[in-house]
Amino acid sequence: MARTVGIGIQDYGKIRENDYFYIDKTGFIKEWWESGDEVTLITRPRRFGKTLNMSMAEQFFSIDYAGRGSLFEGLSIWQEEKYRALQGTYPVISLSFANIKEKDYPAARYKICQLLVNLYNRYGFLRDSEGMSARDREFFDRVSVDMNDGDATLALYQLSDYLYRYYGKKVIILLDEYDTPMQEAYVAGYWEELVAFTRSMFNAAFKTNPWLERAIMTGITRVSKESVFSDLNNLKAVTTTSDEYEAAFGFTEDEVFTALDEYGLDERKSDVKYWYNGFIFGKWKDIFGDGLQAMRQIIMIL
């Protein structure tokens, strides 16, 4: 029986726990981990599965998902003992700028600070943990929506330190849709203010952070390194013309055809290829970029 195609689900665990239709993209985890890159920026168009892959990465690495290997059983990443042992073993800081679409800088800054407050609330148990000094607790208590720029831009850096001290392992930081507020800032005329703020935050979190193991950022645009990424010479940018992770986002032709077989539509492969011939990225041909939504449209049309 063909599985349900769940549209708009960006939580990897929800897809797996409900046995919704899922094309195995866990090979991305291995490819990224073995690349050795400290900070990776991945840019892809909308609807290419970036957020779902970030959810997948979080649930693979995060200590919060220790003992949840069942989410990955039967998939490619679970074939190697090395990666089975790696699952659920790192503190992970995960956040998204997807909803920061404000008309002015104060409102955008407020929302970013609220996201940081939410993170500190999530890890509130750290405040009174062993090894935290009075000065550490003072900083913890200063994290608020109206904190000053110095505290706001250091918040991810300091949280990395606290998590490292608590778990004894460096952190992984996942930042989804890093560029959404920047697109709004450009249109609304507060680009310079926002870039200055985020540059300082990114430099602290991704460049001068001794407690950082790895980081991934995703977005739809690559902002010039002369602006927000000017200090990040440890950043590996992976664009749509790069060879890395080509098949990790969107669907390849083989993946689409395998899905059509599951739904008993194998005789319609030529129709699908004619109707939606995808894109060409690097060595990969015919990436069906719109992910599950395109797949559902294909199945419904046929």
Side-chain angles (χ1 to χ4, degrees), residues 114-182:
Q114 183 62 66
L115 290 176
L116 296 172
V117 169
N118 293 346
L119 279 174
Y120 273 69
N121 287 340
R122 177 181 177 182
Y123 295 110
F125 62 88
L126 295 172
R127 183 192 181 281
D128 298 314
S129 62
E130 185 179 350
M132 291 282 279
S133 67
R135 188 167 296 180
D136 293 327
R137 295 188 180 96
E138 288 175 6
F139 183 91
F140 214 99
D141 293 339
R142 290 201 306 270
V143 175
S144 64
V145 292
D146 57 356
M147 61 184 148
N148 63 42
D149 279 1
D151 288 344
T153 56
L154 278 175
L156 292 176
Y157 174 92
Q158 289 298 138
L159 184 57
S160 300
D161 176 17
Y162 303 151
L163 286 166
Y164 173 75
R165 278 189 258 169
Y166 187 85
Y167 289 110
K169 295 193 73 169
K170 293 184 177 183
V171 305
I172 294 172
I173 300 179
L174 304 174
L175 173 56
D176 196 25
E177 298 203 33
Y178 83 93
D179 54 347
T180 296
M182 295 173 193

Side-chain angles (χ1 to χ4, degrees), residues 25 27-37 39-45 48 50 53 216 222 235-250 252 280-284 287:
K25 296 295 183 179
F28 165 74
I29 295 170
K30 178 180 178 180
E31 187 177 358
W32 174 65
W33 194 251
E34 295 185 357
S35 73
D37 298 326
V39 182
T40 305
L41 167 63
I42 299 173
T43 60
R44 289 292 188 276
F48 264 66
K50 298 185 299 296
N53 275 10
I216 305 175
R222 179 182 175 184
L235 175 73
K236 175 64 177 293
V238 181
T239 68
T240 53
T241 58
S242 304
D243 289 336
E244 297 93 334
Y245 317 127
E246 290 166 343
F249 299 88
T252 66
I280 298 175
F281 291 160
K283 66 185 178 182
W284 285 94
I287 301 293

Side-chain angles (χ1 to χ4, degrees), residues 212-232:
L212 178 68
E213 179 67 39
R214 304 278 186 90
I216 305 175
M217 289 185 279
T218 70
I220 65 171
T221 58
R222 179 182 175 184
V223 177
S224 68
K225 295 198 74 170
E226 287 70 31
S227 56
V228 69
F229 298 133
S230 59
D231 297 324
L232 299 187

Side-chain angles (χ1 to χ4, degrees), residues 2-283:
R3 293 166 292 174
T4 299
V5 179
I7 297 301
I9 301 175
Q10 298 180 320
D11 183 327
Y12 171 83
K14 185 175 181 179
I15 290 176
R16 294 288 291 162
E17 288 169 347
N18 290 281
D19 196 28
Y20 292 144
F21 179 84
Y22 177 71
I23 287 180
D24 186 357
K25 296 295 183 179
T26 59
F28 165 74
I29 295 170
K30 178 180 178 180
E31 187 177 358
W32 174 65
W33 194 251
E34 295 185 357
S35 73
D37 298 326
E38 187 170 46
V39 182
T40 305
L41 167 63
I42 299 173
T43 60
R44 289 292 188 276
R46 298 187 188 281
R47 309 303 303 173
F48 264 66
K50 298 185 299 296
T51 297
L52 179 56
N53 275 10
M54 291 287 265
S55 175
M56 174 187 71
E58 178 187 5
Q59 294 179 33
F60 182 81
F61 289 104
S62 176
I63 285 174
D64 293 340
Y65 288 86
R68 299 289 303 281
S70 59
L71 293 173
F72 298 90
E73 288 178 358
L75 301 178
S76 64
I77 194 64
W78 214 243
Q79 294 175 6
E80 295 185 42
E81 183 177 352
K82 169 185 175 181
Y83 287 96
R84 293 196 297 272
L86 191 61
Q87 194 273 325
T89 59
Y90 277 88
V92 175
I93 299 173
S94 178
L95 68 163
S96 171
F97 284 174
N99 293 322
I100 304 176
K101 303 178 180 180
E102 311 312 308
K103 294 182 178 179
D104 56 54
Y105 174 67
R109 185 189 183 281
Y110 180 93
K111 268 201 170 180
I112 292 173
C113 289
Q114 183 62 66
L115 290 176
L116 296 172
V117 169
N118 293 346
L119 279 174
Y120 273 69
N121 287 340
R122 177 181 177 182
Y123 295 110
F125 62 88
L126 295 172
R127 183 192 181 281
D128 298 314
S129 62
E130 185 179 350
M132 291 282 279
S133 67
R135 188 167 296 180
D136 293 327
R137 295 188 180 96
E138 288 175 6
F139 183 91
F140 214 99
D141 293 339
R142 290 201 306 270
V143 175
S144 64
V145 292
D146 57 356
M147 61 184 148
N148 63 42
D149 279 1
D151 288 344
T153 56
L154 278 175
L156 292 176
Y157 174 92
Q158 289 298 138
L159 184 57
S160 300
D161 176 17
Y162 303 151
L163 286 166
Y164 173 75
R165 278 189 258 169
Y166 187 85
Y167 289 110
K169 295 193 73 169
K170 293 184 177 183
V171 305
I172 294 172
I173 300 179
L174 304 174
L175 173 56
D176 196 25
E177 298 203 33
Y178 83 93
D179 54 347
T180 296
M182 295 173 193
Q183 295 170 48
E184 300 298 323
Y186 182 80
V187 172
Y190 59 92
W191 170 264
E192 294 298 330
E193 291 174 289
L194 186 66
V195 165
F197 180 80
T198 53
R199 181 194 295 124
S200 181
M201 176 186 292
F202 289 177
N203 183 66
F206 301 120
K207 174 59 179 176
T208 61
N209 188 346
W211 307 287
L212 178 68
E213 179 67 39
R214 304 278 186 90
I216 305 175
M217 289 185 279
T218 70
I220 65 171
T221 58
R222 179 182 175 184
V223 177
S224 68
K225 295 198 74 170
E226 287 70 31
S227 56
V228 69
F229 298 133
S230 59
D231 297 324
L232 299 187
N233 57 11
N234 61 333
L235 175 73
K236 175 64 177 293
V238 181
T239 68
T240 53
T241 58
S242 304
D243 289 336
E244 297 93 334
Y245 317 127
E246 290 166 343
F249 299 88
F251 292 161
T252 66
E253 180 178 296
D254 287 344
E255 289 169 341
V256 171
F257 286 176
T258 298
L260 291 176
D261 288 339
E262 178 173 338
Y263 285 85
L265 297 170
D266 54 297
E267 76 282 357
R268 306 302 298 275
K269 291 175 183 176
S270 60
D271 295 334
V272 171
K273 188 172 177 62
Y274 176 80
W275 174 69
Y276 193 90
N277 201 28
F279 306 89
I280 298 175
F281 291 160
K283 66 185 178 182

